[in-house]
Amino acid sequence: MNTTTGHDLAKAAHLLNTGELVAIPTETVYGLAANALDPDAVLKIFEAKKRPGFDPLIVHAGSLEAIRHFVEAIPPAALLLGESFWPGPLTILLRKKPVIPDLVTSGLDTVAVRIPAHPLTAQLLDMLDFPLAAPSANLFGQVSPTRAAHVKDQLAGKVAYILDGGDCSVGLESTIVGFPENELPTIYRLGGIPVEEIEAVIGKVEVRPHSSSNPQAPGMLKSHYAPRKPLFIREEGQDLPENASYLRFSDYLPGIPASRQLVLSKEKDFRTAARNLFAALRELDSADTSSIIAELLPDKGLGRAINDRLRRASVRE
Ligand code: AMP
Ligand code: MG
């Protein structure tokens, strides 16, 4: 299959209408999209990504009305969150109607739903009469794509068209929130909306992002988002290996050539750091060094989600 890149919404809509895959820009990361109501189309996503069938997909819709067609109900707290953060980087788990194929949810009775904020994808969703199932447009377990060229690097030949929406403005996957019965609302994945902002709207939540304790979110495997070369997390004051690349939050380490260091945000701005994170990991991965040494950010706000990605990308020693 020949993979082309462009801005042609009619072409993207036509491919999706005929059961093909299209890579779409969102504010979080690029998604690999298919008609969420068509199991044959959805199967192509799993094949292209080499994604295991136990890892459910997020369904993207253009509006709350569209969502009501495929979920049983939207609980009041979920509605409050949707009204506060949609369109935006928040995914909510809701009870699905039978029209959502089991393949999309890996057999779970909830479906992960989001209204994305990228204007091109919003227009595309408006043109379609079905929602889009779309996981990140990378090979399973690898670094998520935040620009069209990243998608092409990993999925050329496996997706017909990449809708180019430029660099992703958030750069981190969505925060996933669920409402388990008789429990506090639960965050299953840290992401583009910080925990503090969610709690400001619905009060105290549980944060339970790891697969080991949380088989309900099978995608949250501990090793994920990983570059090809080993990534180690180093605390201040630990040994600094030769022949490594360094991922820094805001300043350069003394004594290491600047050419081997990447700074995520000189201004210590978490949003900038999030936007740069995955492109930085890719760049360090292709540098002529044997490992990546990453520094954790302050563990609050978006820093917490960035640290989660760095920990999942890291080699555990
Ligand atoms: P991705 O689209 O690649 O960012 O991954 C989507 C992630 O959403 C999965 O890996 C799961 O962690 C989570 N997810 C999707 N659907 C559900 C669901 N029904 N219940 C719990 N987690 C889900
Ligand atoms: Mg992913």
Side-chain angles (χ1 to χ4, degrees):
M1 182 189 294
N2 187 24
T3 301
T4 57
T5 301
H7 304 97
D8 189 343
L9 282 168
K11 177 170 177 166
H14 172 74
L15 286 163
L16 291 163
N17 274 316
T18 52
E20 297 301 325
L21 302 183
V22 173
I24 56 167
T26 84
E27 74 280 24
T28 61
V29 303
Y30 275 74
L32 184 62
N35 177 351
L37 309 185
D38 175 355
D40 293 332
V42 171
L43 185 60
K44 292 180 184 172
I45 297 177
F46 284 89
E47 289 170 350
K49 280 192 61 132
K50 302 199 175 78
R51 184 177 175 111
F54 60 74
D55 194 3
L57 307 179
I58 294 172
V59 173
H60 298 70
S63 66
L64 264 177
E65 300 91 87
I67 290 171
R68 289 187 201 280
H69 286 122
F70 61 86
V71 306
E72 289 292 353
I74 307 181
L79 194 59
L80 255 179
L81 284 181
E83 285 167 353
S84 306
F85 299 112
W86 281 343
L90 180 76
T91 294
I92 304 182
L93 303 180
L94 298 168
R95 284 185 88 76
K96 79 177 193 75
K97 284 185 177 161
V99 38
I100 296 287
D102 284 338
L103 185 59
V104 170
T105 62
S106 305
L108 297 169
D109 57 10
T110 54
V111 57
V113 184
R114 170 168 117 75
I115 302 180
H118 194 289
L120 267 189
T121 290
Q123 280 183 64
L124 178 63
L125 284 164
D126 262 0
M127 294 163 73
L128 301 170
D129 55 13
F130 47 80
L132 293 173
S136 51
N138 52 278
L139 294 173
F140 182 69
Q142 302 203 6
V143 179
S144 300
T146 52
R147 60 180 68 133
H150 296 164
V151 180
K152 198 160 184 187
D153 284 348
Q154 291 201 355
L155 296 179
K158 296 177 163 184
V159 55
Y161 193 56
I162 302 170
L163 192 58
D164 188 350
D167 285 5
C168 298
S169 60
V170 174
L172 269 188
E173 291 82 354
S174 56
T175 302
I176 301 180
V177 188
F179 295 88
E181 258 174 62
N182 307 321
E183 284 179 54
L184 281 179
T186 301
I187 292 184
Y188 294 103
R189 177 171 75 185
L190 299 166
I193 304 283
V195 177
E196 296 89 330
E197 288 187 26
I198 289 174
E199 290 191 324
V201 175
I202 57 167
K204 186 94 191 96
V205 300
E206 183 99 22
V207 180
R208 223 187 307 150
H210 290 301
S211 61
S212 47
S213 59
N214 176 30
Q216 282 309 104
M220 294 315 298
L221 302 172
K222 251 199 116 192
S223 167
H224 218 87
Y225 312 101
R228 283 178 303 263
K229 65 175 71 154
L231 181 146
F232 301 95
I233 290 170
R234 280 277 185 286
E235 315 280 328
E236 210 66 38
Q238 282 185 295
D239 279 358
L240 304 177
E242 300 268 316
N243 197 28
S245 294
Y246 288 82
L247 182 63
R248 304 283 302 164
F249 175 31
S250 60
D251 60 351
Y252 289 91
L253 273 170
I256 306 272
S259 61
R260 284 208 269 121
Q261 305 192 52
L262 261 183
V263 167
L264 289 174
S265 167
K266 288 200 173 90
E267 294 75 34
K268 300 193 179 191
D269 177 43
F270 286 163
R271 290 160 71 100
T272 308
R275 201 178 302 132
N276 291 331
L277 177 69
F278 288 138
L281 283 176
R282 278 165 192 269
E283 191 174 331
L284 297 180
D285 207 15
S286 55
D288 188 19
T289 53
S290 53
S291 60
I292 300 170
I293 310 291
E295 169 194 41
L296 293 178
L297 277 63
D299 224 3
K300 55 174 195 226
L302 280 182
R304 219 171 145 181
I306 295 171
N307 289 346
D308 170 83
R309 300 304 185 273
L310 289 173
R311 290 198 180 95
R312 285 177 204 279
S314 72
V315 177
R316 279 161 299 283
E317 296 173 279

